[in-house]
Amino acid sequence: MSPDRKVQSRLKKDLVIWLGTAGADGRPHAVLVWFHWDGESFLVYSVPGQKVNDIKANPNVVLHLNSDPEGGNVVRITGTAKIVRNQPPASKVPAYIRKYRELIRSYEWTPLSFSKQYSVAIRIRPTKFH
């Protein structure tokens, strides 16, 4: 279950993806997140909070890339998320830092300060590309 080349390209180049979660109460939440796609799974770093609590209660998630202005070029992914305690911090993941170096600088962060704030690693394994 691997996405086609066009989707693979977007997963490498796009800087943000929508992450949809639902907690134990079933209420949906959608937030924009930075992500790294390694060809098998997504790596997201988060501050502690709503999405982390939702994933602990219900690991089923959806991911959506932005569409084009007319609503085409849609990429949707369903998957299972897990909080990964032994994942190195973002500052120790070269591919992640390469992808977001300019954005990290634009917020006047360093890779280390970003890693301290976004300290919760989430690994999302896709179950289906739509």
Side-chain angles (χ1 to χ4, degrees):
M1 180 241 4
S2 185
D4 66 31
R5 275 201 263 175
K6 187 175 177 182
V7 171
Q8 285 278 6
S9 176
R10 288 199 59 200
L11 292 174
K12 290 288 185 191
K13 293 177 184 175
D14 283 23
L15 294 176
V16 295
I17 197 165
W18 288 95
L19 170 62
T21 62
D25 63 0
R27 297 178 64 91
H29 302 99
V31 294
L32 222 58
V33 296
W34 294 356
F35 69 99
H36 171 65
W37 167 250
D38 65 11
E40 294 182 13
S41 66
F42 296 87
L43 177 60
V44 172
Y45 288 95
S46 175
V47 296
Q50 183 72 54
K51 68 181 155 289
V52 172
N53 293 336
D54 283 356
I55 289 166
K56 287 177 181 176
N58 180 353
N60 298 306
V61 299
V62 294
L63 297 164
H64 298 254
L65 291 174
N66 287 328
S67 69
D68 64 26
E70 292 80 34
N73 200 20
V74 174
V75 176
R76 295 182 308 122
I77 303 133
T78 53
T80 305
K82 181 179 181 180
I83 307 303
V84 185
R85 304 219 184 277
N86 62 350
Q87 172 68 41
S91 61
K92 301 288 186 190
V93 181
Y96 189 93
I97 295 302
R98 268 193 307 278
K99 184 174 183 180
Y100 294 105
R101 183 176 315 282
E102 293 306 315
L103 279 172
I104 288 170
R105 281 186 191 143
S106 76
Y107 286 102
E108 298 183 357
W109 294 329
T110 64
L112 186 58
S113 66
F114 171 82
S115 293
K116 286 181 180 177
Q117 186 172 352
Y118 289 79
S119 60
V120 180
I122 301 167
R123 180 70 66 180
I124 301 166
R125 301 230 177 258
T127 54
K128 185 173 183 182
F129 286 84
H130 306 270

